[in-house]
C-alpha cells in the first residue's frame, strides 16, 4: 500500500491544465480529498496525519491550480479555487468525496459544500473559519511578524505560525518539521511568489466575506483546532460550530494553528471515527 513517503506523483489533464496529485491508502470507499493551506504543496502535509487517515480510507492529495507542480495561474478568490478543485474531482471521475480542509483549504471546502452538496459526503474543517471571520484578513501582517521572529531566532516560520511558544508547543514544532522531510525522493516544487500573493488576496477577501448562508450545509462536519490559533483565530472554529447545523467541535489545549499535527494521534482517531 502506498504511503506518504513513497506514493507516486501522478498527473491528470483538467480542462487543459496539468494537475499533480498522489493517491494512497485503502482502496474502495469514498476517498478523502485533502485541501491545503497557504504556501503549501503536496509535501507539506504531516505524514502521520495522511498515513493515519489512509490506514482506513482512500486519500487523495493534490495541488490546486498554479500551486506546486500544477500548471496554470493561482486564482485570487476562494470561490475560483473551489471550482478548480471540483473540476479536478470530476476529471478523476469521482462521484462522491469526503473533504479534509486545513486553513485556506477549509475555506475552499465550505464553498464546495455549498455549491456542490451532492458531491460531498462528510467534511473535516481544521484551523479554519467562516467567511468574514474574526482576524482572517490579518494574515499578511501575521505572516510578516512570524517571518521576522523566525529570522531573529534562527527558526522556521512554522515554529511561530503553527505552534504555541510554550515548551510543549515548540517541541511539537520540532517534531513536525522533521516529519515534513521524511519523503526524501520525488519531492514537490515550492510555490511561486505569484501564488502566495494570489492566495493572500483570496484569504483577505474571504475575511471580508459573508457566511450568512453557511447553515445551508447539512453535511456532517468535524471541526478541529488548537486553543491558541494566531493565523485563523480559534474563535472562528466556535463560530463554524455554531453556524453549521450538523457539526462537532474538537479543541486541543496548548496548541495553535497546527493543533491537528501536534495532537496527531488523537486527531487521527477522531477523524477515522467521524469518517466511519
Amino acid at each position: 500500500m502506498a504511503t506518504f513517503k513513497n506514493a507516486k506523483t501522478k498527473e491528470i489533464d483538467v480542462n487543459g491544465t496539468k494537475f499533480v496529485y498522489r493517491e494512497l491508502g485503502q482502496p474502495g470507499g469514498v476517498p478523502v480529498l485533502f485541501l491545503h493551506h497557504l504556501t503549501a504543496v503536496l509535501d507539506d502535509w504531516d505524514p502521520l496525519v495522511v498515513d493515519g487517515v489512509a490506514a482506513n480510507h482512500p486519500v487523495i492529495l493534490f495541488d490546486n491550480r498554479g500551486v506546486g507542480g500544477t500548471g496554470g495561474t493561482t486564482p485570487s478568490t476562494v470561490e475560483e479555487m473551489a471550482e478548480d478543485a471540483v473540476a479536478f474531482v470530476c476529471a478523476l471521475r469521482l462521484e462522491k468525496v469526503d473533504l479534509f480542509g486545513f486553513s485556506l483549504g477549509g475555506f475552499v471546502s465550505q464553498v464546495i459544500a455549498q455549491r456542490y452538496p451532492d458531491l460531498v459526503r462528510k467534511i473535516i474543517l481544521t484551523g479554519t473559519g467562516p467567511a468574514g471571520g474574526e482576524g482572517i484578513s490579518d494574515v499578511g501582517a501575521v505572516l510578516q511578524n512570524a517571518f521576522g521572529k523566525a529570522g531573529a531566532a534562527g527558526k522556521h516560520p512554522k515554529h511561530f505560525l503553527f505552534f504555541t511558544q510554550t515548551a510543549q508547543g515548540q517541541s511539537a514544532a520540532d517534531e513536525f518539521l522533521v516529519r515534513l522531510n521524511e519523503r526524501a525522493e520525488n519531492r514537490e516544487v515550492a510555490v511561486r511568489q505569484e501564488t502566495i500573493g494570489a492566495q493572500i488576496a483570496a484569504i483577505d477577501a474571504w475575511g471580508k466575506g459573508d457566511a450568512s448562508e453557511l447553515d445551508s450545509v447539512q453535511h456532517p462536519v468535524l471541526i478541529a483546532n488548537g486553543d491558541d490559533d494566531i493565523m485563523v483565530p480559534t474563535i472562528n472554529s466556535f463560530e463554524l460550530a455554531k453556524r453549521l447545523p450538523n457539526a462537532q467541535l474538537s479543541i486541543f489545549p496548548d496548541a495553535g494553528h497546527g493543533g491537528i499535527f501536534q495532537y496527531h494521534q488523537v486527531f487521527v482517531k477522531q477523524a477515522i471515527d467521524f469518517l466511519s
Side-chain angles (χ1 to χ4, degrees), residues 3-274:
T3 65
F4 183 88
K5 191 173 182 178
N6 61 26
K8 180 182 177 183
T9 303
K10 303 178 182 180
E11 298 178 3
I12 190 169
D13 182 278
V14 180
N15 300 329
T17 298
K18 179 192 79 172
F19 273 57
V20 300
Y21 68 104
R22 295 176 187 154
E23 292 179 297
L24 57 159
Q26 294 289 350
V30 177
V32 185
L33 183 71
F34 281 48
L35 298 115
H36 224 335
H37 68 83
L38 166 70
T39 77
V41 296
L42 295 175
D43 296 326
D44 289 306
W45 285 109
D46 188 332
L48 289 178
V49 170
V50 174
D51 289 340
V53 174
N56 290 69
H57 300 274
V59 163
I60 299 172
L61 315 178
F62 82 111
D63 283 340
N64 214 336
R65 184 180 300 274
V67 176
T70 292
T73 302
T74 306
S76 57
T77 71
V78 170
E79 289 75 16
E80 290 174 278
M81 293 175 184
E83 293 294 337
D84 286 336
V86 169
F88 167 72
V89 170
C90 291
L92 289 178
R93 302 184 180 222
L94 299 172
E95 296 182 356
K96 189 82 74 174
V97 293
D98 292 327
L99 301 176
F100 181 149
F102 174 54
S103 196
L104 170 59
F107 307 158
V108 175
S109 297
Q110 292 171 60
V111 175
I112 294 173
Q114 289 179 82
R115 292 188 175 185
Y116 301 92
D118 292 342
L119 186 64
V120 180
R121 187 182 72 112
K122 293 184 177 183
I123 308 165
I124 300 175
L125 299 175
T126 68
T128 194
E134 183 177 318
I136 291 174
S137 286
D138 297 336
V139 66
V142 171
L143 281 176
Q144 192 171 14
N145 183 49
F147 273 82
K149 288 180 177 178
K155 289 187 171 185
H156 195 287
K158 283 185 170 127
H159 275 100
F160 298 92
L161 291 168
F162 277 23
F163 298 89
T164 59
Q165 298 309 294
T166 66
Q168 178 177 316
Q170 290 301 288
S171 176
D174 292 339
E175 294 169 6
F176 170 71
L177 290 166
V178 168
R179 295 198 297 272
L180 290 189
N181 290 312
E182 283 181 7
R183 186 182 172 104
E185 299 178 357
N186 301 311
R187 288 183 64 87
E188 262 270 77
V189 296
V191 292
R192 300 180 293 275
Q193 284 301 316
E194 310 92 271
T195 291
I196 297 173
Q199 289 178 335
I200 289 176
I203 293 169
D204 181 62
W206 181 262
K208 297 169 181 171
D210 177 18
S212 60
E213 296 184 11
L214 194 55
D215 60 1
S216 69
V217 177
Q218 299 294 315
H219 308 78
V221 183
L222 171 63
I223 302 161
N225 204 351
D227 64 354
D228 189 19
D229 187 345
I230 65 166
M231 295 200 73
V232 183
T234 306
I235 188 65
N236 291 293
S237 294
F238 288 91
E239 188 65 23
L240 279 173
K242 187 169 74 174
R243 289 179 175 272
L244 290 163
N246 196 8
Q248 52 185 282
L249 178 64
S250 179
I251 300 295
F252 299 112
D254 188 14
H257 194 59
I260 63 167
F261 309 133
Q262 181 172 338
Y263 289 89
H264 53 84
Q265 287 180 309
V266 178
F267 171 70
V268 165
K269 185 180 186 308
Q270 290 176 344
I272 289 173
D273 289 346
F274 169 75

